[in-house]
Amino acid sequence: MRLPRSAAGWTVAVFGGMALLSGVLGLLWPAALLGLLGLAVPPIRASGDHTGTFLVASSMAAFNMGVYYLLAAVSEWRSFFRFTVVFRLVTVTVFALVVAADIAPVGFLGVAAWEGLGALATALGLRADARRGAAGRPGLPSTLVTGAGL
């Protein structure tokens, strides 16, 4: 497997690796993932509690997302990198709102912070790559990087 060739690519690869690992953790050891998120792990679940089902679905989605991010990183898919910055900031907003609305525990702000820091790291990586001339490489039109102001 190839390694990312840019700063932005590395930020996307790190997030992809973390997403993949959290997906595996949620599939193999769901109680540990719930604990990391600051969510209660009761010894017995009530009838009709579908937390386990939702956790399997979320963990599988995280696993798949991790694979997508890793593939984007090694292929230096810069349009995807920019897309992730925007939508990770949307994620920060949604996660902060569910905490503010008392739908999620305050500890869930850590997930929002992780998303925000990841978005910032990728945006800074895109900017650094553009300044180093990464935009001038074959197959990466400079308008894709500089046109977005990154």
Side-chain angles (χ1 to χ4, degrees), residues 109-135:
L109 287 176
V111 181
W114 169 255
E115 291 288 340
L117 290 172
L120 178 63
T122 300
L124 292 173
L126 285 164
R127 180 169 292 229
D129 294 341
R131 288 186 177 159
R132 276 198 305 265

Side-chain angles (χ1 to χ4, degrees), residues 122-150:
T122 300
L124 292 173
L126 285 164
R127 180 169 292 229
D129 294 341
R131 288 186 177 159
R132 276 198 305 265
R137 290 187 304 199
L140 296 174
S142 60
T143 56
L144 289 178
V145 175
T146 57
L150 299 173

Side-chain angles (χ1 to χ4, degrees), residues 84-98:
T84 67
V85 170
V86 173
F87 281 92
R88 289 183 82 183
L89 292 174
V90 170
T91 302
V92 169
T93 304
V94 171
F95 287 0
L97 288 173
V98 297

Side-chain angles (χ1 to χ4, degrees), residues 61-86:
F63 180 89
N64 288 339
M65 186 174 64
V67 172
Y68 304 153
Y69 271 65
L70 290 170
L71 290 173
V74 299
S75 66
E76 288 294 325
W77 188 13
R78 300 184 74 72
S79 296
F80 180 84
F81 300 170
R82 285 189 304 281
F83 175 86
T84 67
V85 170
V86 173

Side-chain angles (χ1 to χ4, degrees), residues 18-37 55 59 62-63:
M18 295 292 291
L20 188 136
L21 290 175
S22 73
V24 169
L25 180 64
L27 290 168
L28 298 178
W29 193 13
L33 183 59
L34 288 172
L36 284 173
L37 294 173
L55 192 58
S59 295
F63 180 89

